Amino acid sequence: MSWTATVGGHSYRFTDLRDLLAKASPARSGDVLAGCAAGSAAERVAARTALADLPLAHFLDEAVVAYEDDDVTRLIVDTHDADAFAPVRSLTVGGFRDWLLSWEADTAALTALAPGLTPEMVAAVSKTCRVADLVAIAAKTRVVTGFRTTLGLPGRLATRLQPNHPTDDPVGITASIVDGLLHGSGDAVVGINPATDRPSTVRGLLELLDDARQRLDAPIQSCVLTHVTTTLELLEQGAPVDLVFQSVAGTQAANRGFGVTLEQLRDAREAALALGRGTVGNQVTYFETGQGSALSADAHHGVGGPVDQQTLEARAYAVCRAFDPLLVNTVVGFIGPEYLYDGKQILRAGLEDHVCGKLLGVPMGVDVCYTNHAEADADDMDTLLTMLAAAGCSFVICVPGGDDVMLAYQSLSFTDVLGVRAVLGLRPAPEFEAWLASVGLLDDAGRVPPLDPGALPALTTGMGA
């Protein structure tokens, strides 16, 4: 099926759904690189006009990546909940946007709707939204999950404490963990990106994290972000694995590039569930995604040609949704300016990813970040952080000083999150907040007090530092 729309006296034709979605996307460097971007602002407006008039039900009849060629498409189609979709089945994409912004679309209605939406539907509606729309829709969309802390509750903003070290040095990692905890960070997860995937190194880091948790009696979950096959091996050895991690993407070919299959993810989740290590919940998977991941692997092709990177990113959330995750985050600016060129593109993409994931029922966080060769800076990240916090983002990532010395990119600092929590009246996860208060790291007003050097020895006793 093709569509035609006229803008400024010129008619534009869009050959299929894949082409229409790509041309309707806000400008970004990755789509230009892929050769699927609109050639002008006028063509983009024409595509959005045609897209707004497209019935939502059409997405159930036309795939952007062929069903017979792609297990992600099969997952999307085979798990679609027609009953959940029924309340919005008669709407167009534009009508769906209007409904999402209405009072009728409250948290309960959006939660019930999530199983009936496909990634392509939510990607489409996000393309018709302004930034304020993305914030407003996301703010009333809630996905609550739990393991040792409860995440996604209203009025809360959690953090991943990311204590990476370029040589996986236990002392350096421990110092970063202590720094983060003293600043009230770590309620989403204490998660290390290891410098090496060597199983013995990963196991040592898992044991370091678990030992620290037990000595501090802290309600935190830990994760070493190694490949799922390494985690499976360590689970078989009895290592203290809280969460199974894997980077995933929106096509079978891209996931193959990551060296992972849906079957492996099922096996790893089942093995972690069997350990029963959670206390307030037992959601045991953690996934990371990012716009441009399929394109960077030359795995972005669909029916008739390239698929735009934002639609493929939304498809990655269908993979995540299938494995009942505790955490999902988009590393929005990490892949580089080839995919998101500047602060404006990064900001838009972060808000799109956040709302699309939540509409699909995925507990979304964002790594508010950029690489040093992108046209972006800390002011851009402050803007994105504030908008995400207002939009009810489940968690963000924090690194010491906002500078990841192992991955060599810029993210948020611990104090960045303290600032936005104070401005917007947000708090940590409830179980973690209670622990902070119990060890003297919250004052009577619920704020992290200035560092008392005398508290440091008590907090670090026995942690190996």
Side-chain angles (χ1 to χ4, degrees):
M1 183 174 178
S2 64
W3 295 267
T4 302
T6 301
V7 172
H10 183 83
S11 291
Y12 297 90
R13 180 174 179 270
F14 309 101
T15 57
D16 53 22
L17 182 59
R18 169 202 55 82
D19 186 43
L20 181 64
L21 288 168
K23 297 298 195 298
S25 281
R28 59 203 58 194
S29 52
D31 291 339
V32 174
L33 182 64
C36 64
S40 66
E43 185 179 22
R44 186 171 297 113
V45 169
R48 289 178 182 171
T49 301
L51 184 62
D53 290 336
L54 184 67
L56 276 183
H58 181 82
F59 291 90
L60 302 177
D61 299 326
E62 183 178 357
V64 297
V65 183
Y67 180 93
E68 59 272 16
D69 297 336
D70 188 88
D71 61 4
V72 177
T73 300
R74 292 193 291 274
L75 177 68
I76 293 166
V77 173
D78 294 348
T79 60
H80 180 254
D81 188 330
D83 291 337
F85 180 57
V88 298
R89 183 179 182 88
S90 64
L91 299 179
T92 63
V93 171
F96 185 42
R97 171 189 171 274
D98 293 343
W99 181 82
L100 287 171
L101 291 168
S102 72
W103 300 128
E104 181 185 354
D106 58 14
T107 301
L110 292 168
T111 299
L113 178 63
L117 297 177
T118 70
E120 291 83 358
M121 291 176 191
V122 298
V125 77
S126 76
K127 296 174 195 294
T128 69
C129 289
R130 293 175 55 185
V131 161
D133 300 335
L134 299 175
V135 173
I137 295 166
K140 56 185 179 178
T141 311
R142 286 282 158 192
V143 183
V144 178
T145 59
F147 189 75
R148 294 193 186 98
T149 58
T150 305
L151 306 174
L153 294 169
R156 308 277 177 171
L157 175 63
T159 59
R160 170 183 160 192
L161 197 174
Q162 183 168 294
N164 295 344
H165 192 279
T167 63
D168 292 329
D169 177 62
V171 174
I173 288 171
T174 299
S176 293
I177 293 172
V178 171
D179 187 16
L181 293 175
L182 289 171
H183 285 89
S185 182
D187 45 341
V189 65
V190 180
I192 302 171
N193 297 92
T196 173
D197 224 25
R198 188 181 302 115
S200 60
T201 299
V202 174
R203 177 162 189 152
L205 295 175
L206 285 168
E207 290 172 346
L208 182 154
L209 291 171
D210 198 54
D211 181 67
R213 173 186 69 83
Q214 294 188 62
R215 288 177 182 273
L216 295 171
D217 194 25
I220 56 179
Q221 42 269 342
S222 63
C223 185
V224 177
L225 282 70
T226 188
H227 194 272
V228 67
T229 54
T230 303
T231 302
L232 273 167
E233 179 180 339
L234 292 172
L235 281 165
E236 292 172 357
Q237 296 174 9
V241 174
D242 284 346
L243 305 180
V244 170
F245 170 81
Q246 184 56 47
S247 294
V248 295
T251 68
Q252 181 176 346
N255 286 323
R256 187 185 306 121
F258 284 136
V260 64
T261 66
L262 300 183
E263 183 178 359
Q264 288 173 325
L265 295 177
R266 291 188 191 98
D267 290 345
R269 177 176 178 267
E270 290 173 5
L273 280 171
L275 298 181
R277 292 172 60 86
T279 53
V280 300
N282 208 23
Q283 285 156 310
V284 296
T285 56
Y286 175 19
F287 298 108
E288 281 192 344
T289 68
Q291 287 196 30
S293 57
L295 174 57
S296 67
D298 193 29
H300 60 294
H301 296 284
V303 177
V307 182
D308 73 272
Q309 65 183 36
Q310 192 246 336
T311 297
L312 290 180
E313 172 70 5
R315 284 168 55 91
Y317 306 147
V319 176
C320 302
R321 178 170 64 177
F323 300 101
D324 190 25
L326 176 74
L327 305 164
V328 176
N329 73 262
T330 167
V331 284
V332 65
F334 178 73
I335 303 181
E338 299 84 359
Y339 308 97
L340 295 169
Y341 179 72
D342 57 15
K344 181 179 177 68
Q345 291 188 11
I346 292 170
L347 182 143
R348 172 80 196 196
L351 295 172
E352 287 170 351
D353 294 350
H354 176 240
V355 74
C356 286
K358 288 173 74 175
L359 284 173
L360 291 170
V362 171
M364 283 303 296
V366 178
D367 189 355
V368 179
C369 64
Y370 63 100
T371 59
N372 288 315
H373 61 311
E375 292 293 323
D377 59 26
D379 286 342
D380 297 312
M381 300 305 107
D382 288 345
T383 303
L384 178 53
L385 169 62
T386 304
M387 297 187 82
L388 285 167
C393 189
S394 180
F395 73 102
V396 292
I397 290 179
C398 300
V399 302
D403 184 4
D404 191 301
V405 296
M406 194 276 278
L407 293 175
Y409 79 116
Q410 309 304 125
S411 188
L412 299 175
S413 70
F414 305 128
T415 53
D416 290 335
V417 174
L418 289 180
V420 80
R421 279 176 176 165
V423 168
L424 297 179
L426 301 172
R427 298 156 57 191
E431 300 84 1
F432 189 74
E433 182 181 46
W435 176 79
L436 289 173
S438 73
V439 296
L441 291 177
L442 288 181
D443 65 15
D444 292 341
R447 302 168 301 190
V448 174
L451 176 61
D452 175 9
L456 194 60
L459 189 64
T460 60
T461 299
M463 286 183 64

